[in-house]
């Protein structure tokens, strides 16, 4: 199978943010979709660089070769599921060096190729990534922030609970000792009202290596599952075991850091953002983390429907069920053309689309 045509569409979002939708057509007329929507100020790549790469590179892709083909649509006979991921890596090999530093562009290309290949072999992307699914659904977590007034934060928590969301992540936005004290009081109020909810916290790398253990000790009575990225990405492996476990987020994008964190005491989870890591790299890190007894959480980057669908497939394609994932629909989707994300279900669930490939239909058709 070869890619014979490619097109790129830009979607203007709020502020300066823009999304890119990549369409790849193979030699039998199938169309695979990918998306690059880097987040300004957070992603290492800029949308203009991604656009140039996605306009130039599809023509240089290698063939997508499998050891066999399915006997009939919807079956996997003749092609080992894991072979599909290796087929994508081989197809990307001629352009891999030009994708360095452009994870959103790599994510788009990998997604579109896996969408094509899944359609060809009659498997969803999750099965192409990890073989036959071992879990049928994944729960999503809710998201709150301490930057809003406490009554509003508590009201949002009630709305999440009413939807059936059982895990809540709180971004700790305040800075300095006074700010941390305010956040701590807000979290205590949240815990009093929601005793059974799984609480996760995100410090966004704002704490120093010296103050992090003390602050984690103060948070321990609240029983958080973990605190994401308490210190700077390049320092996280030095933190060690603390009163509250911690999770790696931005650190996973630092060269050589995932390998250190797989061995680090105190690391409870890898937060996998395929828009920051690439789809295949995120799956590899999730697989390796789970093999070491480290939990995995998949999350979007407030990107669009194609990237969100791909992130859902990643969560469904891990060897073991991940923890509740950051895959809930978000307000930013309203800036995109209306398109159904078949993996998102009512009640805070992600489930298989039941369709080959990504299962998202292009609005451009």
């Amino acid at each position: 199978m070869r890619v014979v045509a490619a097109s790129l569409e830009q979607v203007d979002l709020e502020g300066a943010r823009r999304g890119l939708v990549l369409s790849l057509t193979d030699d039998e007329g199938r169309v695979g979709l990918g998306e690059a929507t880097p987040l300004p100020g957070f992603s290492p790549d800029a949308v203009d660089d991604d656009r140039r790469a996605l306009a130039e590179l599809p023509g240089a892709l290698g063939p997508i070769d499998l050891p066999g083909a399915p006997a009939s649509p919807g079956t996997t006979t003749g092609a080992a599921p894991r072979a599909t991921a290796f087929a994508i890596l081989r197809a990307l090999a001629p352009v891999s060096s030009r994708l360095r530093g452009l994870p959103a562009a790599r994510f788009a290309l990998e997604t579109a190729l896996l969408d094509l290949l899944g359609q060809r072999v009659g498997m969803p992307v999750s099965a192409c990534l990890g073989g036959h699914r071992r879990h049928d659904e994944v729960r999503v977590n809710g998201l709150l922030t301490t930057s809003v007034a406490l009554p509003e934060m508590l009201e949002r928590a009630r709305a999440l609970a009413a939807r059936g969301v059982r895990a809540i992540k709180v971004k700790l936005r305040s800075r300095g000792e006074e700010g941390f004290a305010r956040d701590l009081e807000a979290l205590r109020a949240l815990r009093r009202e929601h005793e059974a909810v799984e609480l996760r916290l995100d410090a966004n790398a704002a704490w120093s290596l010296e103050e992090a253990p003390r602050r984690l000790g103060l948070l321990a009575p609240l029983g958080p599952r973990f605190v994401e990225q308490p210190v700077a990405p390049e320092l996280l492996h030095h933190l060690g075991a603390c009163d509250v476990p911690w999770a790696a987020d931005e650190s996973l994008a630092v060269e050589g850091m995932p390998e250190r964190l797989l061995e680090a005491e105190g690391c409870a989870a890898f937060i996998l953002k395929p828009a920051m890591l690439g789809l295949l790299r995120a799956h590899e890190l999730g697989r390796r983390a789970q093999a070491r007894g480290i939990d995995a959480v998949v999350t979007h980057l407030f990107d669009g429907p194609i990237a969100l669908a791909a992130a859902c497939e990643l969560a469904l394609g891990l060897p073991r069920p991940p923890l509740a994932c950051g895959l809930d629909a978000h307000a930013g989707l309203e800036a995109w053309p209306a398109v159904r994300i078949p993996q998102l279900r009512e009640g805070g669930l992600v489930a298989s689309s039941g369709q080959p490939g990504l299962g998202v239909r292009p609005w451009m058709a």
Side-chain angles (χ1 to χ4, degrees):
M1 182 174 76
R2 283 188 173 275
V3 171
V4 297
S7 64
L8 201 58
E9 179 188 353
Q10 179 172 301
V11 180
D12 294 323
L13 307 172
E14 294 181 358
R17 197 176 189 193
R18 290 165 287 167
L20 302 171
V21 176
L22 175 68
S23 301
L24 300 181
T25 303
D26 71 8
D27 46 9
E28 295 183 3
R30 288 176 287 255
V31 177
L33 299 179
E35 178 195 321
T37 309
L39 184 60
F42 189 83
S43 299
D45 43 349
V47 71
D48 289 336
D49 296 327
D50 290 328
R51 182 194 299 105
R52 281 190 289 272
L54 293 174
E56 298 169 0
L57 298 186
L61 293 170
I64 309 167
D65 295 320
L66 286 175
S72 60
T75 71
T76 58
T77 303
R82 277 294 291 164
T84 58
F86 294 118
I88 299 302
L89 289 173
R90 288 194 297 270
L92 285 170
V95 301
S96 275
S97 63
R98 295 163 69 185
L99 288 170
R100 274 196 201 102
L102 301 175
R106 175 175 281 278
F107 180 34
L109 272 170
E110 290 175 344
T111 301
L113 290 170
L114 281 162
D115 189 11
L116 280 176
L117 200 46
Q119 292 176 55
R120 180 193 172 192
V121 299
M123 299 190 300
V125 166
S126 58
C128 293
L129 284 168
H132 296 289
R133 289 182 295 110
R134 296 177 175 86
H135 44 283
D136 293 325
E137 60 185 34
V138 172
R139 300 202 71 86
V140 304
N141 66 260
L143 180 63
L144 301 176
T145 174
T146 58
S147 61
V148 302
L150 179 58
E152 182 180 350
M153 188 179 86
L154 294 177
E155 183 57 36
R156 292 182 184 179
R158 294 182 200 112
L160 289 169
R163 286 179 51 214
V165 174
R166 302 172 188 170
I168 292 178
K169 169 180 168 178
V170 184
K171 283 186 170 287
L172 307 180
R173 295 295 196 189
S174 303
R175 296 293 177 260
E177 284 302 315
E178 288 187 6
F180 178 74
R182 287 193 301 272
D183 284 355
L184 193 55
E185 286 305 309
L187 293 170
R188 286 169 177 157
L190 177 65
R191 177 53 89 198
R192 284 193 297 270
E193 198 168 296
H194 299 275
E195 294 182 0
V197 74
E198 181 181 293
L199 185 63
R200 306 177 194 167
L201 308 174
D202 186 356
N204 289 112
W207 303 344
S208 71
L209 197 57
E210 293 70 32
E211 70 189 353
R214 180 181 62 83
R215 290 187 173 183
L216 290 168
L218 292 171
L219 291 166
L222 300 172
R225 180 92 184 221
F226 52 71
V227 175
E228 286 183 35
Q229 203 65 49
V231 301
E234 65 277 8
L235 298 177
L236 188 57
H237 64 301
H238 292 303
L239 186 54
C242 297
D243 291 334
V244 172
W246 42 267
D249 184 354
E250 290 88 346
S251 293
L252 298 179
V254 177
E255 187 173 356
M257 189 60 68
E259 288 69 26
R260 297 187 184 99
L261 293 170
L262 286 168
E263 306 292 336
E265 257 192 291
C267 184
F270 275 15
I271 311 301
L272 306 171
K273 291 188 172 82
M276 291 289 292
L277 299 167
L279 191 53
L280 296 181
R281 174 64 169 163
H283 183 267
E284 177 198 2
L285 290 179
R287 179 181 57 79
R288 293 174 65 188
Q290 289 185 336
R292 295 302 302 264
I294 297 171
D295 283 314
V297 176
V298 179
T299 182
H300 57 64
L301 198 62
F302 300 102
D303 28 36
I306 297 166
L308 180 50
C312 290
E313 292 291 325
L314 169 61
L316 291 164
L318 291 171
R320 292 193 288 107
L323 300 180
C325 291
L327 297 173
D328 207 2
H330 57 87
L333 290 171
E334 296 175 4
W336 289 78
V339 59
R340 179 173 172 267
I341 304 172
Q343 294 83 1
L344 293 185
R345 307 296 170 84
E346 295 294 329
L349 289 175
V350 166
S352 173
S353 69
Q355 302 173 45
L358 198 58
V360 174
R361 295 292 175 261
W363 58 82
M364 304 85 72

